[in-house]
Amino acid sequence: MSVLKVPTMAEMMAQGETPDILFWVGCSGSFDDRAKKITKAVVKILNKCDVKFAVLGTEESCTGDPAKRAGNEFTFQMQAMMNIQVLDGYEVKKIVTACPHCFNTLKNEYPELGGNYEVIHHTQLIQGLINDGKLSIEGGGTYKGKKITFHDPCYLGRANDVYEAPRALIEKLDAELIEMKRCKTNGLCCGAGGAQMFKEAEKGNKEINVERTEDALETSAEIIATGCPFCNTMMTDGVKNFNKENEIQVLDVAELIANAADL
Amino acid sequence: MLAIIVFAVLTIVGFGFFGWNISKVRSNILLGKEVKRNDQKGERWRIMTLVALGQKKMFARPIPALLHLCLYAAFVITQIELIEIIADGLTGNHRMFHDALGGFYTFMVSFIEILSVLAFVATVFFLSRRNLLKLPRLNMKELAGWPKQDANLILIAEIILICFIFMMNGADEVLYSQGKSHLAGEGSLGFSISSLIGPAIFGSVSEHGLHLIERMGWWGHIAMVFGFLNYLPYSKHFHIVLAFPNTWYSNLEKKGKFNNMESVTAEVKLMMDPNADPYAAAPADAAPQRFGAKDVTDLTWKNLLDAYTCTECGRCTSSCPANQTGKLLSPRKIMMDTRDRLVEVGEGIRKNGKDFNDGKSLIGDYISEEEIWACTSCNACVQECPVNIDPLSIIVDLRRYLVMEESKMPSELTGMLTNIENNGAPWQFSPADRLNWKDEA
Ligand code: SF4
Ligand code: SF4
């Protein structure tokens, strides 16, 4: 594996350089073993396309999303203001993130606290790179003809009306995109949002991720594509619940692209 | 003359009582907190036209949408006829506009009759869907009792109203053809439906009987209309009025954006400012602020308008992931509880003054903690609602109250919050390790 180039903001500054874009890695992307692979896939794509980017590294901190969804506005705003101080200190203008929760919070909830940035989701960034001819996938790559279904993350889809970018990327793979019966605006949640990721579900008769995995299995796709580290975890657990790990894979769209482009 | 007086009294009482009810509802809604919703007027008119008038979101399910549209069109267009009924009633005339409008009059009444037949079909469909097919979303436990009765009552009233219309027009058709109608002339009135079914049903009735049927239809019609008008503010059917303001005042932000709590911002800024005087007293006139919502008066007026607008259709609940997997949470119930509590608080304040306190609150007495903690904030309910209601923002404000005022939350969340505060991540990882992934294989 080639060595990843992951400059930090501090390093760049020290060299008197300013990156074009900040990659906001997020807590999952930094600490969760599965999500770290997604982070690396994004970095591989950025490196391949020579995107001048940087990360905050140890200066990054939770956006405060789970605190806000859980109802603790104090913790959220403390986090937000600390992050804004750091971001503004580096004069950050544009941010890409691989987590729809970070994306939503940075994009929609930071401006009222004084943090104004152009924030995009990694699928949008990659779509731009492909459209600009910086990245190409020869003949669709490994996934040519494969059946892929896309699970809409609530905080990307309904919350922010981004439905097309991830789908456009799957089409670039020359794969067969099969929609689940509930998709786009009608997509069913994976069960992790609203701070549910961090707690047991309330008493019920089923887990939400199992319900959603059933939708995915019904499509008889070989791959469930997602664009969110939480969705990824939930769907992976759902697939395990049905003992289908050998038949259906759960991968982030960034991983699909990185694999297909042989990165 | 007596008829005119009775009619005039009925009209005044009918509209007067309605006005009185509306002002009560208005004052209840204004118990809510301020929120600004009058920017981007062009966009607001557009949304109202599409969603309320055009019922755009209903068409996600085309068949009920079409039938609902029939019912709605019949309802709205029939009100045009009402203008004539009121004019006739107050002047003692009969079909005042008939001669003046000529062919257009025949067209309008014919159109109303066709819509009435369609509405009849729709009503029968809706009644059987609710009571015979037992559609799950229309038979959940929060609908037991009054809400179910309310729904059926209005459908039955619609059927009765349609019957009155055809009694009125049908009997008049027969009378007219015999030259005995109070409308001068002879032949057929030429209305699309009643010219067919009138003679078929009432053909053999005596003149006296026909006049009786015609008058019963006429008085029945107007009585039903005033009855309906005054029933509205107590019923989920209020949505036919409130759908319009409610969609106009829609949230125009991205659905993922939760509102910023400015009261918190002020305090956080103070906490983070090294130069702030920690002992500075809060301004004396600052009212003690409650964070989040414990009761309906802590919600915004838009939340309260939402509650009155809710049609109890359950589209939100049937799309809710928590509800689908057997959790207690039902966004429709959130709206119904909010409305019920608001009516209670409003009555209490009117009787006992502004400081009314019955020791009850929305969270706890109406909505349980278990319900609100089951929400994934997925926005499916918001997306689905045909009249742009936002149950999620109420859920969030209730959570805020529990967390910030009472420190009550599932224990895992306490841990998650502590982690964020201590090490900047919801899990227990050291911030120093944030970039370790870079060098891991
Ligand atoms: S936002 Fe909450 S209440 Fe609404 S559908 Fe999703 S889980 Fe249910
Ligand atoms: S909130 Fe909207 S979708 Fe839910 S029951 Fe009320 S009207 Fe129907």
Side-chain angles (χ1 to χ4, degrees):
Chain A
M1 196 186 77
S2 62
V3 186
L4 297 176
K5 284 178 286 179
V6 191
T8 63
M9 272 290 179
E11 290 161 6
M12 278 230 167
M13 281 285 263
Q15 290 164 11
E17 289 194 72
T18 18
D20 297 331
I21 194 161
L22 172 82
F23 176 26
W24 185 277
V25 181
C27 300
S28 283
S30 304
F31 295 121
D32 180 86
D33 285 332
R34 177 67 190 84
K36 283 189 235 176
K37 295 189 182 149
I38 304 171
T39 307
K40 286 182 195 167
V42 173
V43 170
K44 284 179 197 166
I45 295 168
L46 294 172
N47 281 169
K48 161 87 183 166
C49 301
D50 281 328
V51 175
K52 201 171 171 198
F53 78 100
V55 298
L56 284 174
T58 54
E59 289 183 279
E60 189 186 279
S61 190
C62 175
T63 59
D65 160 83
K68 185 157 180 121
R69 313 295 134 184
N72 196 329
E73 187 78 3
F74 276 102
T75 306
F76 163 71
Q77 291 198 9
M78 294 285 280
Q79 286 300 117
M81 287 190 201
M82 284 184 329
N83 284 324
I84 290 170
Q85 273 180 4
V86 173
L87 290 167
D88 287 353
Y90 287 119
E91 295 181 16
V92 170
K93 300 272 173 318
K94 192 168 177 183
I95 303 176
V96 60
T97 167
C99 170
H101 298 268
C102 298
F103 169 70
N104 177 69
T105 306
L106 293 167
K107 179 171 173 286
N108 298 321
E109 293 169 349
Y110 275 32
E112 268 172 279
L113 297 169
N116 292 289
Y117 318 102
E118 182 192 345
V119 187
I120 57 172
H121 186 242
H122 68 305
T123 56
Q124 295 172 311
L125 179 84
I126 300 170
Q127 189 187 18
L129 292 172
I130 293 180
N131 289 347
D132 294 347
K134 296 208 176 104
L135 183 68
S136 63
I137 296 149
E138 303 304 331
T142 5
Y143 300 108
K144 192 176 165 65
K146 284 251 162 72
K147 290 184 186 158
I148 302 180
T149 190
F150 180 70
H151 163 78
D152 286 282
C154 302
Y155 275 87
L156 188 63
R158 270 190 300 270
N160 285 292
D161 305 313
V162 178
Y163 300 106
E164 286 317 314
R167 288 182 167 77
L169 293 184
I170 294 172
E171 312 251 292
K172 292 274 192 285
L173 299 171
D174 236 346
E176 188 187 342
L177 172 64
I178 312 176
E179 295 291 358
M180 291 184 239
K181 62 175 193 267
R182 300 182 265 200
C183 64
K184 299 184 183 168
T185 54
N186 294 325
L188 181 73
C189 176
C190 70
Q196 297 294 342
M197 184 72 188
F198 307 97
K199 62 184 263 297
E200 286 299 316
E202 273 56 38
K203 205 163 70 31
N205 51 31
K206 202 176 193 179
E207 293 296 334
I208 295 174
N209 64 330
V210 170
E211 172 90 10
R212 186 50 167 168
T213 306
E214 280 173 359
D215 285 359
L217 294 177
E218 249 174 54
T219 65
S220 66
E222 295 144 271
I223 294 163
I224 303 172
T226 64
C228 170
F230 289 178
C231 295
N232 195 310
T233 304
M234 297 309 266
M235 298 308 281
T236 306
D237 289 350
V239 169
K240 277 193 199 131
N241 179 74
F242 290 100
N243 294 317
K244 298 265 185 195
E245 300 100 302
N246 297 325
E247 287 141 68
I248 188 161
Q249 272 183 294
V250 182
L251 290 167
D252 193 275
V253 179
E255 293 177 299
L256 293 174
I257 295 288
N259 291 345
D262 268 335
L263 302 176
Chain B
M1 196 55 208
L2 182 66
I4 296 179
I5 295 170
V6 171
F7 186 85
V9 170
L10 187 69
T11 309
I12 292 167
V13 171
F15 282 121
F17 194 59
F18 181 66
W20 180 68
N21 264 320
I22 291 286
S23 73
K24 266 202 328 201
V25 168
R26 195 184 125 87
S27 72
N28 283 359
I29 290 173
L30 291 178
L31 289 174
K33 298 254 171 302
E34 187 45 38
V35 59
K36 210 172 159 302
R37 286 287 169 85
N38 55 6
D39 54 338
Q40 305 179 52
K41 296 211 167 51
E43 177 64 5
R44 296 188 176 282
W45 287 109
R46 198 183 67 84
I47 291 178
M48 190 185 89
T49 311
L50 280 176
V51 177
L53 192 68
Q55 304 183 5
K56 179 175 160 229
K57 290 173 94 179
M58 290 288 287
F59 279 87
R61 304 180 195 201
I63 294 173
L66 220 59
L67 290 165
H68 180 266
L69 190 68
C70 290
L71 207 58
Y72 167 72
F75 178 83
V76 172
I77 311 273
T78 312
Q79 306 319 314
I80 300 176
E81 207 178 24
L82 205 63
I83 304 172
E84 186 185 45
I85 292 191
I86 291 176
D88 281 351
L90 292 176
T91 58
N93 277 308
H94 187 69
R95 296 196 185 271
M96 236 177 125
F97 303 146
H98 179 271
D99 293 342
L101 295 177
F104 182 67
Y105 184 88
T106 316
F107 168 78
M108 272 320 291
V109 179
S110 294
F111 189 49
I112 290 171
E113 287 194 345
I114 290 170
L115 283 174
S116 299
V117 172
L118 290 174
F120 184 83
V121 174
T123 313
V124 171
F125 172 83
F126 286 144
L127 270 172
S128 35
R129 186 176 67 156
R130 211 171 258 278
N131 300 294
L132 301 176
L133 294 177
K134 298 219 179 288
L135 196 68
R137 84 179 146 92
L138 301 177
N139 284 280
M140 286 179 183
K141 60 177 181 298
E142 67 247 31
L143 293 184
W146 161 247
K148 193 178 165 79
Q149 262 176 34
D150 176 26
N152 282 328
L153 208 67
I154 214 81
L155 288 169
I156 291 165
E158 180 71 30
I159 290 190
I160 297 175
L161 177 68
I162 294 168
C163 292
F164 280 139
I165 293 178
F166 285 113
M167 276 167 71
M168 176 174 93
N169 289 354
D172 208 20
E173 166 75 18
V174 179
L175 283 168
Y176 192 74
S177 68
Q178 298 170 0
K180 289 169 186 152
S181 169
H182 291 301
L183 183 68
E186 219 175 315
S188 170
L189 287 166
F191 303 148
S192 55
I193 309 287
S194 58
S195 65
L196 303 174
I197 64 170
I201 300 175
F202 306 122
S204 55
V205 180
S206 68
E207 185 195 339
H208 178 71
L210 286 169
H211 277 298
L212 204 68
I213 293 170
E214 195 274 335
R215 282 295 90 184
M216 270 172 64
W218 191 90
W219 282 98
H221 184 166
I222 191 73
M224 288 302 291
V225 168
F226 281 131
F228 186 78
L229 194 64
N230 282 296
Y231 178 68
L232 277 188
Y234 300 96
S235 153
K236 76 185 187 83
H237 296 89
F238 211 11
H239 75 267
I240 58 174
V241 178
L242 293 185
F244 291 86
N246 203 60
T247 48
W248 199 87
Y249 290 118
S250 290
N251 176 23
L252 302 182
E253 304 273 3
K254 290 279 184 224
K255 290 192 191 69
K257 177 181 173 180
F258 285 12
N259 71 323
N260 187 52
M261 293 180 71
E262 270 157 42
S263 50
V264 172
T265 311
E267 294 204 18
V268 171
K269 280 206 171 121
L270 212 63
M271 272 155 44
M272 291 184 65
D273 181 0
N275 303 320
D277 173 6
Y279 300 108
D285 58 346
Q289 268 266 5
R290 180 182 280 160
F291 295 115
K294 178 185 189 190
D295 210 343
V296 285
T297 45
D298 302 321
L299 294 169
T300 69
W301 62 261
K302 179 58 169 73
N303 293 142
L304 304 182
L305 177 61
D306 274 355
Y308 270 113
T309 309
C310 177
T311 74
E312 297 171 15
C313 70
R315 283 173 168 75
C316 52
T317 296
S318 71
S319 70
C320 172
N323 192 275
Q324 280 174 32
T325 53
K327 318 292 190 295
L328 265 188
L329 174 63
S330 159
R332 166 172 56 190
K333 179 178 171 289
I334 301 285
M335 301 319 299
M336 293 170 68
D337 287 342
T338 303
R339 176 176 178 160
D340 289 348
R341 175 62 182 157
L342 178 57
V343 170
E344 185 176 62
V345 170
E347 278 311 313
I349 290 179
R350 265 185 293 280
K351 285 210 187 84
N352 307 297
K354 229 166 73 54
D355 298 321
F356 162 77
N357 181 355
D358 59 359
K360 292 205 275 178
S361 59
L362 182 61
I363 184 80
D365 295 296
Y366 283 78
I367 299 171
S368 65
E369 293 174 29
E370 182 177 341
E371 286 164 69
I372 63 162
W373 287 117
C375 174
T376 71
S377 73
C378 72
N379 265 305
C381 52
V382 183
Q383 177 74 41
E384 277 287 302
C385 180
V387 286
N388 285 1
I389 287 170
D390 181 357
L392 175 56
S393 69
I394 297 182
I395 295 173
V396 172
D397 265 335
L398 295 172
R399 281 188 181 182
R400 284 170 172 168
Y401 167 75
L402 286 178
V403 171
M404 291 190 279
E405 295 280 352
E406 307 232 338
S407 301
K408 269 197 198 160
M409 68 200 101
S411 59
E412 305 102 302
L413 292 187
T414 318
M416 180 269 287
L417 289 165
T418 313
N419 288 335
I420 294 183
E421 283 155 23
N422 291 345
N423 49 272
W427 302 283
Q428 250 182 358
F429 289 105
S430 161
D433 295 338
R434 235 180 215 272
L435 200 51
N436 289 3
W437 56 268
K438 185 176 79 151
D439 306 311
E440 291 167 10

